Amino acid sequence: MTSTKDTISRSWLITQVKNHKSRLIVANIIAVIATLISVPIPLLMPLMVDEVLLNQPSTGLQYMNLMMLDSWQTPIGYIALTLVLVILMRTVSQGLNILQGRQFTLVSKTITYKIRCKMIDKLGRISIQQYETRGSGGINAHLITDIETIDQFIGSTLSKFIISFLTVLGTAVVLLWLEWRLGLFILLVNPIVVYFSRKLGGMVKHLKKTRKTKPLRSFKIVWLKHSTEFTN
């Protein structure tokens, strides 16, 4: 009998994730910082339109004047500073996203390495009958496909989910802060658009599949017809 210590279960995976709690906390903090840097980037261009091109100076230009010399406080200077700020913020945000993804990848690779060690250790205790009933393909699926799925979920899916969730949350807050009526309308309509887009994508996928199967089906009918005529 196998002990519970050697069993790979959900509780075992949760325990392994808890062993990397500090690294995951650092990764989440990095994700929050990256989101705080990336969310204000789309607001800088409307800021230039309102305060520079339309000549309605406000707090945005006041903060920019603190970073610029008096001779540089011109429309071209404000636009150039905004461009530099956008490039710097985008670069820092991408760098932090890469660093956050690296933390999740290290955790996933460590956990999948332990899973592979356990699976390889169990291979020597599998009876020949299991190879006959399950087949080598089924056992290989557990050793390769299932472990790769866990690796992708921990290393890629979780890290992208946190960034995407925080970005959507920050964008929603900014929209509601700018104009709550328009922001509320966008937030309510966007899920409906996503739902119908998924339905339309499923219908297109089904139509493509039926178009591919129809020529193959007609070819099979013609081939069977000619084969029967040849045998007769």
Side-chain angles (χ1 to χ4, degrees):
M1 294 179 63
T2 59
S3 61
T4 56
K5 189 176 181 180
D6 295 332
T7 303
I8 299 173
S9 60
R10 185 184 299 175
S11 60
W12 183 85
L13 285 174
I14 294 173
T15 303
Q16 295 301 316
V17 171
K18 287 181 179 178
N19 292 334
H20 301 277
K21 187 185 295 184
S22 59
R23 179 167 284 170
L24 293 174
I25 291 173
V26 171
N28 290 325
I29 293 173
I30 293 173
V32 172
I33 296 173
T35 305
L36 291 176
I37 293 174
S38 62
V39 167
I41 291 176
L43 298 176
L44 293 177
M45 291 305 169
L47 180 71
M48 290 294 97
V49 173
D50 292 338
E51 300 192 12
V52 177
L53 298 181
L54 298 180
N55 196 18
Q56 296 178 358
S58 184
T59 55
L61 291 185
Q62 292 177 6
Y63 285 115
M64 286 187 177
N65 291 333
L66 297 176
M67 297 183 288
M68 300 172 64
L69 298 175
D70 293 337
S71 59
W72 293 359
Q73 295 177 8
T74 60
I76 296 176
Y78 292 132
I79 293 172
L81 179 60
T82 304
L83 178 62
V84 172
L85 288 176
V86 168
I87 294 173
L88 287 176
M89 292 170 71
R90 182 67 68 183
T91 304
V92 174
S93 175
Q94 287 297 113
L96 291 176
N97 288 336
I98 293 171
L99 183 60
Q100 184 248 6
R102 180 179 179 275
Q103 300 298 319
F104 276 96
T105 303
L106 289 174
V107 173
S108 66
K109 296 300 181 185
T110 304
I111 294 175
T112 51
Y113 170 74
K114 292 181 180 180
I115 295 174
R116 286 191 173 97
C117 290
K118 283 180 171 289
M119 296 293 287
I120 292 172
D121 182 62
K122 288 177 181 292
L123 279 178
R125 291 176 280 172
I126 296 176
S127 62
I128 301 299
Q129 186 180 2
Q130 292 294 326
Y131 285 96
E132 294 177 353
T133 56
R134 291 178 177 268
S136 59
I139 295 174
N140 286 333
H142 286 297
L143 288 173
I144 299 173
T145 309
D146 295 349
I147 296 176
E148 287 296 328
T149 303
I150 296 173
D151 187 11
Q152 290 291 325
F153 176 74
I154 299 175
S156 179
T157 307
L158 280 182
S159 61
K160 290 180 180 178
F161 171 77
I162 292 172
I163 291 292
S164 301
F165 175 76
L166 291 176
T167 303
V168 170
L169 183 63
T171 306
V173 171
V174 170
L175 286 174
L176 294 174
W177 175 61
L178 291 175
E179 176 59 43
W180 69 270
R181 299 179 188 86
L182 180 61
L184 191 63
F185 175 76
I186 294 173
L187 293 177
L188 292 176
V189 171
N190 195 45
I192 300 173
V193 174
V194 171
Y195 172 75
F196 284 107
S197 299
R198 289 179 63 89
K199 294 286 287 185
L200 183 61
M203 293 172 62
V204 172
K205 185 178 179 180
H206 178 69
L207 288 174
K208 285 184 177 180
K209 189 181 293 184
T210 53
R211 281 191 175 184
K212 287 181 180 179
T213 55
K214 277 183 179 180
L216 182 62
R217 193 177 304 165
S218 61
F219 173 76
K220 286 182 178 179
I221 293 171
V222 173
W223 183 79
L224 288 173
K225 181 179 179 181
H226 286 288
S227 62
T228 51
E229 289 178 356
F230 179 76
T231 52
N232 292 332

